[in-house]
């Protein structure tokens, strides 16, 4: 069967769904193509929106991008709620980083200094203040760092709302894309799907992690570029607990123990997410969590909040963070009419809404002044051609 739409969005994880939401806002004609929409890393993630806790010391520019993305979430959440008529899952619940050893506390003190340098609000807490803020903390905690602007989204609630929206509008085509090629005559692109269909359009936006781009994309793409846009996959094992009786923490708690980080993310839905390991991975399918990861995650989490020992362990998950060589996402045009919006690595939920807004604004016939300004300072560091700069 041959179908035509103006814009073909390949992949319906948070990257593709964010693009689709912004395309809806400008009343664009588009189709999402994905065999399993709302799955992938997006389904597994913890959904933290944590520009303060997750900033790295030598990444001032990334830090600025993360903060801008976090501010955009207020708007994004309202857009989701007004278009879907359901909850976005956005929770303005603060975060506390904690330490039980002197060396780890020194790390929190150092981080607070870096926050001051970047103008990020955070406050050091003594032992008692930390336990006043979160009474379920272990008495072994010796201090903390409170980050009032690090929030979260219930990722599965958000994905469900968006997938239902686009399903109800018949804008999701369930099949895998097997090739993307330039149309023979005239302009535009055609994607071939695994079930033998062809979809043609003026634009294609690739929002799927690129494992083997040379198999999917036209051979006219530069070989070095193909290598650059191949995803670096960083595996993460992650757990979900059920807190039916509301015994767990009320703030998001991130602990550091001998340099190893762990997070505990409570949700309104009584779910508590405990994560996550990080491991470079060459394996892309048949993923499973390591027994040792489950042990470490539970050890660290229950050492921070002992009551977690009483909760039910309901899920052990594993996913691949689609990364790049330099940790910045890939957002921009690869060839005329062929775009990429991927590589959001550890920050897909935090970043994809704003990077999608920027990308869609560049496609809109009349970009709005506010949208135009969104990521002007960051377009070159996110460009797929940045390695040639
Ligand atoms: C354990 C873990 C915890 C995380 N925690 C956080 C967090 O707290 N905060 C945060 O911001 N980020 C977090 N992340 C990162 C975040 O999950 C990712 O950056 C984000 O989900 C990537 O979204 P995506 O849409 O690019 O990819 P995915 O979610 O992987 O979606 C890609 C989609 O493309 C589809 N697809 C693949 N190939 C094809 C094809 N050929 N044709 C059509 N469709 C295709 C797949 O079916 C899938 O639905 C975490 C990740 C992991 C693994």
């Amino acid at each position: 069967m041959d179908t035509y739409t103006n814009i073909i969005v390949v992949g319906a994880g948070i990257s593709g769904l964010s693009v689709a939401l912004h395309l809806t806002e400008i009343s664009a004609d588009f189709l999402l193509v994905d065999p399993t929409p709302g799955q992938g890393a997006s389904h597994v993630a913890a959904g933290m929106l944590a520009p303060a806790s997750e900033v790295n010391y030598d990444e001032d520019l990334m830090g600025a991008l993360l903060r801008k993305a976090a501010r955009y979430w207020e708007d994004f959440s309202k857009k989701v709620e007004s278009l879907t008529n359901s909850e976005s899952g956005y929770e303005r619940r603060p975060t506390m980083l904690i330490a039980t050893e002197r060396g780890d506390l020194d790390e929190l003190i150092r981080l607070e200094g870096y926050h001051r340098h970047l103008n990020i609000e955070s406050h050091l807490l003594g032992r008692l203040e930390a336990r006043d803020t979160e009474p379920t903390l272990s008495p072994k905690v010796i201090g903390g760092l409170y980050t009032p602007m690090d929030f979260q989204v219930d990722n599965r609630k958000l994905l469900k709302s968006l997938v239902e929206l686009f399903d109800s509008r018949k804008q999701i085509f369930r099949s895998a894309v097997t090739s993307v090629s330039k149309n023979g005559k005239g302009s535009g692109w055609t994607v071939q799907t695994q079930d033998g269909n062809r979809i043609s359009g003026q634009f294609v936006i690739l929002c799927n992690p690129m494992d083997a781009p040379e198999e999917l994309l036209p051979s006219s793409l530069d070989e070095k570029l193909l290598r650059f846009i191949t995803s670096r996959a960083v595996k993460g094992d992650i757990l979900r607990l059920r807190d039916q009786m509301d015994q767990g923490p009320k703030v998001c708690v991130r602990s550091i123990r001998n340099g190893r980080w762990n997070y505990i993310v409570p949700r309104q839905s009584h779910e508590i997410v405990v994560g996550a390991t990080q491991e470079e991975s060459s394996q892309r399918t048949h993923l499973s969590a390591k027994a040792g990861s489950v042990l470490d995650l539970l050890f660290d989490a229950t050492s921070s909040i002992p009551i977690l020992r009483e909760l039910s362990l309901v899920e052990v998950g594993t996913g691949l963070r689609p990364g790049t060589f330099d940790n910045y996402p890939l957002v921009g045009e690869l060839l005329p009419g062929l775009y990429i919006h991927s590589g959001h690595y550890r920050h897909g939920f935090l970043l994809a809404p704003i990077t999608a807004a920027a990308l869609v604004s560049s496609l809109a016939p009349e970009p709005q002044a506010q949208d135009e300004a969104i990521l002007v300072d960051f377009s070159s560091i996110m460009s797929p051609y940045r390695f040639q700069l």
Side-chain angles (χ1 to χ4, degrees), residues 83-257:
L83 280 168
T84 63
N85 257 332
S86 51
E87 289 175 70
S88 68
Y90 182 51
E91 287 186 33
R92 300 171 101 255
R93 196 190 281 258
T95 298
M96 181 165 43
L97 286 62
I98 55 160
T100 47
E101 305 282 340
R102 183 64 230 186
D104 292 327
L105 186 59
D106 287 345
E107 177 60 21
L108 299 189
I109 294 168
R110 196 159 85 98
L111 187 57
E112 192 266 344
Y114 189 49
H115 285 167
R116 256 186 289 129
H117 162 70
L118 294 177
N119 237 340
I120 296 177
E121 184 181 355
S122 67
H123 312 279
L124 285 167
L125 304 176
R127 178 195 298 263
L128 293 178
E129 286 171 302
R131 290 198 67 200
D132 277 351
T133 308
E134 181 44 70
T136 62
L137 285 184
S138 158
K140 292 190 180 139
V141 169
I142 59 169
L145 180 64
Y146 184 68
T147 58
M149 304 307 283
D150 277 359
F151 299 140
Q152 59 158 298
V153 60
D154 183 331
N155 52 318
R156 293 182 181 178
K157 203 180 263 184
L158 174 69
L159 296 167
K160 183 169 180 287
S161 296
L162 291 173
V163 170
E164 281 177 3
L165 170 73
F166 299 120
D167 261 338
S168 72
R169 295 176 174 220
K170 305 211 176 335
Q171 284 174 307
I172 305 184
F173 191 93
R174 282 178 166 72
S175 188
V177 169
T178 49
S179 75
V180 178
S181 55
K182 194 102 192 75
N183 283 344
K185 25 186 167 80
S187 60
W189 294 86
T190 295
V191 306
Q192 188 82 42
T193 62
Q194 202 161 38
D195 57 6
N197 288 293
R198 282 155 46 100
I199 308 169
S200 302
Q202 204 57 32
F203 303 100
V204 172
I205 306 177
L206 300 165
C207 300
N208 56 320
M210 295 270 104
D211 294 343
E214 65 284 0
E215 287 169 20
L216 193 72
L217 299 178
S219 52
S220 51
L221 271 177
D222 181 272
E223 201 184 307
K224 271 199 285 178
L225 178 68
L226 281 172
R227 246 183 292 134
F228 187 71
I229 64 176
T230 302
S231 294
R232 179 184 143 216
V234 182
K235 181 176 176 245
D237 295 337
I238 188 165
L239 312 177
R240 280 173 159 80
L241 312 182
R242 184 100 197 122
D243 184 14
Q244 201 54 47
M245 313 283 284
D246 254 338
Q247 295 166 287
K250 300 292 170 282
V251 303
C252 173
V253 174
R254 303 176 76 115
S255 68
I256 176 167
R257 178 176 302 276

Side-chain angles (χ1 to χ4, degrees), residues 209-343:
M210 295 270 104
D211 294 343
E214 65 284 0
E215 287 169 20
L216 193 72
L217 299 178
S219 52
S220 51
L221 271 177
D222 181 272
E223 201 184 307
K224 271 199 285 178
L225 178 68
L226 281 172
R227 246 183 292 134
F228 187 71
I229 64 176
T230 302
S231 294
R232 179 184 143 216
V234 182
K235 181 176 176 245
D237 295 337
I238 188 165
L239 312 177
R240 280 173 159 80
L241 312 182
R242 184 100 197 122
D243 184 14
Q244 201 54 47
M245 313 283 284
D246 254 338
Q247 295 166 287
K250 300 292 170 282
V251 303
C252 173
V253 174
R254 303 176 76 115
S255 68
I256 176 167
R257 178 176 302 276
N258 298 324
R260 184 170 77 194
W261 286 98
N262 173 273
Y263 54 72
I264 301 162
V265 188
R267 303 240 203 264
Q268 264 168 15
S269 63
H270 302 284
E271 177 181 82
I272 295 186
V273 184
V274 173
T277 58
Q278 289 204 66
E279 190 185 341
E280 300 287 332
S281 175
S282 54
Q283 194 180 339
R284 304 295 165 111
T285 54
H286 302 96
L287 298 172
S288 58
K290 287 184 179 167
S293 305
V294 178
L295 184 68
D296 290 346
L297 290 170
L298 285 178
F299 175 79
D300 288 349
T302 55
S303 301
S304 304
I305 302 197
I307 192 71
L308 296 183
R309 298 175 74 92
E310 304 304 317
L311 307 189
S312 313
L313 173 62
V314 291
E315 186 182 311
V316 177
T318 297
L320 294 175
R321 302 170 182 91
T324 56
F325 296 116
D326 58 2
N327 295 342
Y328 285 96
L330 291 164
V331 183
E333 198 172 26
L334 293 172
L335 288 172
L338 177 65
Y339 291 80
I340 189 162
H341 179 250
S342 185

